[in-house]
């Protein structure tokens, strides 16, 4: 009897552990970001109407590549545990140097940024559960766009605008300076980023020069809402 009760208890513990694993798994499987630079999911000229090929090429091969390399250098120099995920590292970025902060953020932000875009199209908008959540949170997709665009235009100097899911699973809009993001423990805004826009001048200067507002307005055509939905679903789990 005793041993059968013990077996039952162990089985329950095993089941509970399995369920915990299972609930964490979809986020990792779908949207986890690695430490290597992934191939760009489209040719440099794929977003031409919104972002020119030359900007894409320099942005990917120079800026983003440097963040990736410098992140690996910082991890080696600071003996960061190679087994942790990039998301884990960002969650405790306050324990590391400014070099780690800038480059872990820089690498993560660009890796997700490339995936957040696709060939531009008119009337490009979210659908399904994400569209419903945006409507109920912001009133309409148009209002959400206005608030996000304001956050992107209002970020002084270099940084990012975000739509993110906070710890209460609510959609939020905000911005971060430099290469910070809402996953970082030092960030003023905290949560899981589902949509992000790079407003560093290197992201738009060749085509738009000082006209950041035009870049932001045009950028909506190229948002990959399927990927944003995937990140949204993962954030809710
Ligand atoms: Mn950039």
């Amino acid at each position: 009897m005793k041993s059968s009760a013990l077996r039952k208890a162990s089985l329950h513990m095993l089941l509970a552990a399995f369920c915990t694993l299972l609930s964490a798994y979809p986020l990792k499987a779908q949207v986890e970001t690695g430490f290597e630079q992934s191939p760009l999911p489209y040719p440099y000229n794929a977003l031409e109407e919104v972002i020119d090929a030359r900007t894409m090429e320099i942005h990917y091969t120079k800026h983003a590549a440097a963040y990736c390399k410098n992140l690996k250098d910082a991890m080696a120099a600071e003996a960061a545990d190679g087994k942790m995920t990039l998301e884990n590292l960002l969650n405790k970025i306050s324990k590391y140097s400014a070099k780690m902060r800038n480059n872990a953020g820089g690498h993560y932000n660009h890796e997700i940024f490339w995936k957040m875009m696709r060939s531009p199209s008119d009337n490009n908008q979210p659908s399904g559960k994400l569209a419903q959540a945006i409507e109920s949170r912001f009133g309409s997709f148009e209002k959400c766009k206005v608030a996000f665009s304001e956050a992107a235009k209002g970020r002084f100097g270099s940084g990012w605008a975000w739509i993110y899911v906070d710890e209460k699973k609510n959609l939020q809009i905000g911005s971060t300076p430099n290469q910070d993001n809402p996953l970082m423990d030092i960030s003023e805004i905290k949560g899981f980023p589902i949509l992000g826009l790079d407003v560093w001048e290197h992201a738009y200067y060749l085509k738009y020069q000082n006209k950041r507002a035009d870049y932001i307005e045009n950028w909506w055509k190229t948002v990959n809402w399927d990927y944003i939905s995937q990140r949204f679903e993962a954030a809710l789990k």
Side-chain angles (χ1 to χ4, degrees):
M1 275 306 276
K2 235 180 176 180
S3 80
S4 117
L6 202 67
R7 267 205 302 276
K8 221 170 166 183
S10 323
L11 196 68
H12 276 136
M13 278 171 66
L14 207 69
L15 258 173
F18 182 68
C19 288
T20 308
L21 256 173
L22 208 65
S23 68
Y25 185 71
L27 174 62
K28 288 179 190 286
Q30 292 168 25
V31 297
E32 195 176 78
T33 296
F35 291 92
E36 299 297 329
Q37 197 178 22
S38 323
L40 199 65
Y42 35 72
Y44 296 130
N45 66 358
L47 315 179
E48 191 70 52
E49 190 190 331
V50 175
I51 303 173
D52 60 284
R54 184 86 179 117
T55 297
M56 284 303 295
E57 184 175 357
I58 299 170
H59 202 175
Y60 178 82
T61 64
K62 307 291 182 203
H63 296 279
Y67 295 125
C68 182
K69 182 193 177 293
N70 292 335
L71 167 60
K72 287 193 270 190
D73 289 350
M75 288 183 75
E78 294 172 46
D81 177 6
K83 283 186 203 127
M84 75 182 140
T85 64
L86 181 51
E87 286 83 356
N88 291 156
L89 175 66
L90 293 165
N91 289 160
K92 49 184 175 184
I93 204 72
S94 62
K95 296 189 183 342
Y96 298 92
S97 68
K99 178 175 178 176
M100 188 80 89
R101 173 178 174 172
N102 291 335
N103 291 289
H107 173 63
Y108 182 85
N109 295 347
H110 288 85
E111 283 289 296
I112 62 175
F113 185 53
W114 312 132
K115 293 185 193 155
M116 286 172 177
M117 298 185 287
R118 63 182 172 198
S119 292
S121 60
D122 292 328
N123 297 317
N124 184 33
Q125 49 187 303
S127 60
K129 254 172 104 173
L130 175 58
Q132 286 168 15
I134 285 175
E135 252 183 69
S136 77
R137 180 71 180 163
F138 304 108
S140 67
F141 174 52
E142 277 312 307
K143 286 183 182 162
C144 170
K145 267 170 77 170
V146 169
F148 181 91
S149 300
E150 286 308 311
K153 281 186 273 189
R155 169 49 55 191
F156 185 74
S158 298
W160 291 74
W162 303 101
I163 298 179
Y164 60 101
V165 176
D166 71 11
E167 58 178 11
K168 290 180 179 153
K169 307 291 183 193
N170 287 320
L171 285 173
Q172 301 286 1
I173 288 171
S175 76
T176 52
N178 305 314
Q179 293 296 354
D180 288 357
N181 68 44
L183 286 173
M184 292 181 173
D185 59 352
I186 42 78
S187 178
E188 274 180 32
I189 57 169
K190 285 192 188 68
F192 187 77
I194 63 165
L195 176 68
L197 174 58
D198 188 343
V199 294
W200 283 57
E201 282 186 348
H202 70 223
Y204 63 86
Y205 202 83
L206 293 183
K207 189 176 169 84
Y208 299 90
Q209 291 84 49
N210 60 319
K211 296 176 195 121
R212 186 191 281 190
D214 291 356
Y215 159 65
I216 295 164
E217 178 61 31
N218 217 13
W219 181 73
W220 291 106
K221 289 183 195 167
T222 204
V223 173
N224 181 350
W225 288 108
D226 294 333
Y227 179 60
I228 310 309
S229 278
Q230 206 183 340
R231 294 187 67 86
F232 175 62
E233 302 270 344
L236 295 184
K237 279 168 186 160

